[in-house]
Amino acid sequence: MDAIRPSALHGIRVLDFTQAQQGPFATLLLADMGADVIKVEPPGGEMGRANGLGPDGFSSYFEGHNRGKRSLTLDLKKPEAVEVVRRLVPSIDVVVENFRPGAMERMGLGYEDLKPLRADLIYASASAWGRSGPWAERGGYDHVAQALSGVMYEQGTGPGGEPHALIGGFADQIGAMLLAFGIATALVVRERDGIGQHIDGSLIGGMVAMQSKQIVEYLRTGKQSGFQSRRAATYTNYECADGRHVAIAANTEAMWERLCDALGAPELKRDERFTDPFGRARHKDALVVELERRFRARPMGDWLGPLTEHDVPHAPVLDYAGMSEHPQFWANGYLQEIDTPNLGKMRVPGPPIRMSETPPRIQGGGPPLGMHTEEILLAAGYSWDEIARLNESGATRTA
């Protein structure tokens, strides 16, 4: 049996100053890839620890964004704590922060402050609005970033209509994935060219990227359509006899014909209104009526077999309960069960990609506050006497 290889970012050390969601999820992705992520938290812990905190100490918000990290408590208002950071930096590959632009600089911990300590340091900053422009220094969160990005009208009824937000945290999660992508890219550049750099990601930058097709269409045509419950009759979902829904994606001529066969409705292929894609688009409402009638004739489970047999792209529309029991997610490791020292067994989302030679692995649950402070300081060369003095000064206090 081949030896188990370490994950792709094994040996990469990350000093993580992020809080809430956008930054912490980016560094979670790095931890899954094998990086040693040291989460720097203020006394009392970062704000995410208290979000939805239960009596057993479980916070889905914190666990969902901070698994596999080590926790170091530092009161950065104390000069001794700032000095700890500076002492750590020469052994750190990546610094990540998501404060308002200028906050780290005011503490003497900005990119230009730390670069002399390690010339090839990668320093990643995440914000709501980006680091340039008239809004750069404003505070912001997911919901208001969605608002500015145009997505609320695209998800709603269009310009002038009713806006609707995407799922909470959507801008945070997209921004986090792109920030992790930027960090990974910078690590490749450093390996190739021997240089570090400052990376800048933002919530609205991620939202623009996420809406690439829609924004390109608007910039070309000046039109924004807004959400349509059925953009096409054969690329949508239908209610079945038991009130459950099935989604279909029959977007080619061959798939259309196979859909008709799966529904036991070959006559639809011969209907003059629906014989080509243009006709099906022109008579979309009439085709929806025909398909609705047929799907409502049988419960959802009865449709899954015929749709599979005729190779029509489809899926049952699941809630989280159904999704969490579906074998496809477990087979690919997108859902996993882990053991944690403080919360016991937990089912959690797994790494979203797989790698054949350097597989990502969940490194554990979210760390108890300050759990690794002494361990990290000892590895950085601090003596027990120095650690005691830091505790006495309040620089490393947890409360």
Side-chain angles (χ1 to χ4, degrees), residues 76-260:
L76 294 175
K77 296 177 183 178
K78 304 278 188 181
E80 298 92 337
V82 173
E83 184 55 36
V84 169
V85 174
R86 296 180 62 83
R87 191 158 161 179
L88 286 172
V89 164
S91 67
I92 294 296
D93 298 284
V94 183
V95 170
V96 190
E97 59 91 12
N98 68 338
F99 297 112
R100 292 194 196 193
M104 290 290 280
E105 287 79 2
R106 286 190 290 274
M107 290 186 285
L109 298 175
Y111 176 60
E112 296 299 333
D113 300 304
L114 300 185
K115 184 179 177 180
L117 304 176
R118 177 159 183 170
D120 63 353
L121 180 69
I122 294 167
Y123 191 107
S125 298
S127 64
W129 317 112
R131 296 178 68 84
S132 302
W135 282 38
E137 295 186 8
R138 294 190 183 192
Y141 290 94
D142 174 87
H143 189 71
V144 290
Q146 287 194 36
L148 195 71
S149 75
V151 78
M152 286 190 178
Y153 279 122
E154 185 65 20
Q155 182 69 12
T157 54
E162 182 71 20
H164 291 282
L166 296 167
I167 183 174
F170 197 97
D172 281 315
Q173 298 297 92
I174 293 292
M177 293 176 194
L178 292 175
L179 188 68
F181 171 70
I183 292 168
T185 303
L187 286 168
V188 172
V189 172
R190 191 181 73 175
E191 180 68 19
R192 184 188 65 203
D193 300 334
I195 61 171
Q197 57 189 303
H198 190 184
I199 300 165
D200 173 21
S202 70
L203 296 179
I204 60 169
M207 291 306 293
V208 169
M210 193 276 294
Q211 299 175 86
S212 179
K213 179 265 180 189
Q214 291 84 359
I215 291 176
V216 165
E217 181 177 13
Y218 170 77
L219 294 174
R220 176 75 174 184
T221 67
K223 297 177 182 178
Q224 181 179 1
S225 59
F227 178 76
Q228 298 177 41
S229 61
R230 301 190 195 276
R231 291 183 184 266
T234 59
Y235 202 91
T236 184
N237 52 272
Y238 288 96
E239 185 176 1
C240 304
D242 55 358
R244 302 180 69 188
H245 294 76
V246 62
I248 58 172
N251 59 352
T252 68
E253 192 65 27
M255 290 177 188
W256 157 248
E257 293 183 4
R258 297 201 299 267
L259 172 64
C260 294

Side-chain angles (χ1 to χ4, degrees), residues 327-346:
Q328 194 64 23
F329 296 94
W330 296 94
N332 287 281
Y334 302 145
L335 293 175
Q336 298 183 24
E337 184 173 82
I338 64 172
D339 284 310
T340 66
N342 54 323
L343 295 169
K345 289 186 180 295
M346 290 198 305

Side-chain angles (χ1 to χ4, degrees), residues 375-389:
E375 173 185 301
I376 293 165
L377 294 177
L378 287 169
Y382 280 85
S383 68
W384 281 111
D385 286 343
E386 289 176 305
I387 292 172
R389 286 195 291 272

